[in-house]
Amino acid sequence: MKSTISLWLLTCATLPLMAQKTVEVSVVNPSSQVRNDQPVVLQLERYGQDIRSALVMCEGQEIPCQLDDLNQDDNFDELCFLADLGKKEQKHYTVTLYTEGAPRPYPARVYAEMVMANTKDKTLKKNQQNNYIESLTARGDAAYTYNVQHHHGVAFESELNGIRIYFDARQTLDLYGKFNKQLELKETQFYTDADQKARGYGDDVLWVGKTFGLGAFRGWDGKQPTLVEPVRSRTQRIISYGPLRTIVELVDRGWQAPSAISHQPSPINMTLRYTQYAGHRDTDVDVLFNKDVSDYRFSTGIINVKGSEEFTDKKGLRACWGTDYPSTDTLKWKRETVGLAVLVPQQNIVSEEPANKDNYAYIIKVAGNRMHYKVNYTSANETFGYHSAKEWFDYLKAWRREVEEPLQVRVKSYRLADYELRINENNISNN
């Protein structure tokens, strides 16, 4: 009996720990359209605080997944995976959550970087930097934060898009247009050289100035948008690098935002979270404040590209299609044609402002302390995208329908024993 028990103990020592939880996830596509790369997100707090790794299976196949620590306390808060579903299709996924190990590696489909602009390594290509960071805070009285980071702020991408966000009071989203579906920013760092351009890489395709660019979140003083200033400090940080989604945050502490109702500035803290999913050209924007800001008014929108054609459905979807020269810090290629869009929930809209020379703007309100909206864009350079105003606006109408008809997700979980052989423990002891 002693040798039998010893053999069992040795076997248990070499077996991998079983899951703390197994979660059965049923996902239904209610639409008559095929849905690919649709995010399914599980909140992990209900399954314990010590989840270290996970495995997602569907019909006997392993599905890439991602664990994210959103509040940076070294505990994973969410698990996400991407679902591909046919018309009206239902699929069943098994998610196994482990208290041991590390997140499983999968090929990267998104990318994010922050880089300090002070490298003098002569072995690097022109405009290339390698002092990578993941968080940077500047005091509100910093003189010129725009040039502190290479490409002027945090940058991120999916296979379809590329965005940088300026590290200054504008916090504008500037755009990188691609020719092919691929990740490029690690190599080009937003400044494509002639050799990369010849190999089919994209480039900066938009001039933004002090406009909204693509859906920047701003204040409103009762007459016009205001920049995010003054602040006590501003921070950019990368929360997640992928492989399925990248998450970046902008934190403005002590923002003396004007209130269109009281007309008295009162400091507030604001966090802007940008989530970019693989396979998506649209980007999720979540806005969170440290207190109720119902008495404030804010603004967002898109730049009025010179000579652009506007589209609005008068229900929160506003877009344009136009052609202009990109900024002067690029290789000065031809004028670039882009399609831009912002999708704001109707309940957050105070008014849709008439177009002016700079912007197509919304005045918006926030009920409580948070809101969510989306931004989207295309470059006419894309071999895979849209090449006319009609094509772009037709796509946006379908996109809105997709947003308003999300996947239906049902979750069921159960607990497993620590070891696969533990159920035989009594039998072994009695031998």
Side-chain angles (χ1 to χ4, degrees), residues 89-154:
E89 184 179 13
Q90 178 175 356
K91 285 186 177 180
H92 300 280
Y93 298 82
T94 300
V95 179
T96 311
L97 303 172
Y98 297 94
T99 57
E100 298 286 339
R104 303 167 75 89
Y106 298 103
R109 296 185 58 197
V110 293
Y111 178 74
E113 71 173 22
M114 294 175 64
V115 192
M116 295 297 290
N118 64 352
T119 297
K120 297 182 179 180
D121 187 343
K122 295 181 179 180
T123 66
L124 296 175
K125 293 181 179 180
K126 183 181 179 181
N127 286 328
Q128 186 179 13
Q129 303 287 295
N130 62 8
N131 277 345
Y132 297 101
I133 60 174
E134 67 177 24
S135 181
L136 180 65
T137 298
R139 285 186 359 186
D141 59 355
Y144 195 53
T145 55
Y146 176 74
N147 278 335
V148 172
Q149 294 184 62
H150 186 59
H151 49 61
H152 307 304
V154 63

Side-chain angles (χ1 to χ4, degrees), residues 396-429:
L396 292 175
K397 296 171 188 175
W399 173 57
R400 174 164 200 151
R401 289 193 295 270
E402 181 176 308
V403 170
E404 293 178 342
E405 195 172 21
L407 301 183
Q408 298 171 359
V409 180
R410 295 180 177 85
V411 179
K412 179 181 180 181
S413 65
Y414 57 91
R415 184 177 297 277
L416 295 178
D418 288 340
Y419 293 97
E420 184 178 12
L421 295 184
R422 186 60 61 87
I423 59 175
N424 295 321
E425 182 175 2
N426 291 334
N427 292 335
I428 294 174
S429 300

Side-chain angles (χ1 to χ4, degrees), residues 236-307:
Q236 288 191 344
R237 61 194 181 200
I238 300 174
I239 300 298
S240 177
Y241 290 89
L244 302 179
R245 66 176 181 178
T246 183
I247 303 170
V248 305
E249 288 186 344
L250 282 58
V251 181
D252 299 288
R253 298 181 64 221
W255 177 24
Q256 296 182 39
S259 170
I261 295 179
S262 68
H263 298 285
Q264 295 295 323
S266 177
I268 54 179
N269 296 345
M270 176 177 71
T271 299
L272 299 172
R273 174 177 291 172
Y274 294 88
T275 303
Q276 183 63 58
Y277 285 98
H280 284 246
R281 65 170 66 252
D282 58 327
T283 305
D284 290 341
V285 187
D286 289 285
V287 190
L288 176 66
F289 295 94
N290 65 327
K291 64 181 182 181
D292 189 319
V293 291
S294 300
D295 287 343
Y296 290 74
R297 293 296 176 260
F298 302 97
S299 61
T300 191
I302 53 175
I303 180 175
N304 184 352
V305 179
K306 290 181 180 179

Side-chain angles (χ1 to χ4, degrees), residues 3 9 17 28 66 69 92 158 165 184 204 221 248 253 321-322 331 345-346 350 356 361 377 398 403:
S3 61
L9 291 173
L17 281 174
V28 177
Q66 177 174 327
D69 174 13
H92 300 280
S158 73
I165 306 178
E184 301 183 7
D204 186 345
D221 66 4
V248 305
R253 298 181 64 221
W321 178 270
L331 293 176
Q346 282 186 269
V350 175
N356 59 30
Y377 82 94
V403 170

Side-chain angles (χ1 to χ4, degrees), residues 182-201:
Q182 59 187 14
L183 300 181
E184 301 183 7
L185 293 187
K186 186 174 184 179
E187 186 170 349
T188 69
Q189 294 192 324
F190 231 95
Y191 299 106
T192 313
D193 63 30
D195 176 65
Q196 292 166 338
K197 195 74 175 179
R199 290 187 283 126
Y201 282 74

Side-chain angles (χ1 to χ4, degrees), residues 7-49:
L7 177 61
W8 175 79
L9 291 173
L10 178 62
T11 303
C12 284
T14 58
L15 277 174
L17 281 174
M18 290 296 288
Q20 180 194 26
K21 284 280 188 178
T22 291
V23 183
E24 300 295 340
V25 182
S26 172
V27 182
V28 177
N29 175 15
S31 169
S32 58
Q33 302 297 317
V34 173
R35 298 279 186 86
N36 291 320
D37 291 320
Q38 296 298 295
V40 178
V41 180
L42 300 183
Q43 304 298 320
L44 296 179
E45 60 182 6
R46 67 184 66 178
Y47 307 120
Q49 298 297 316

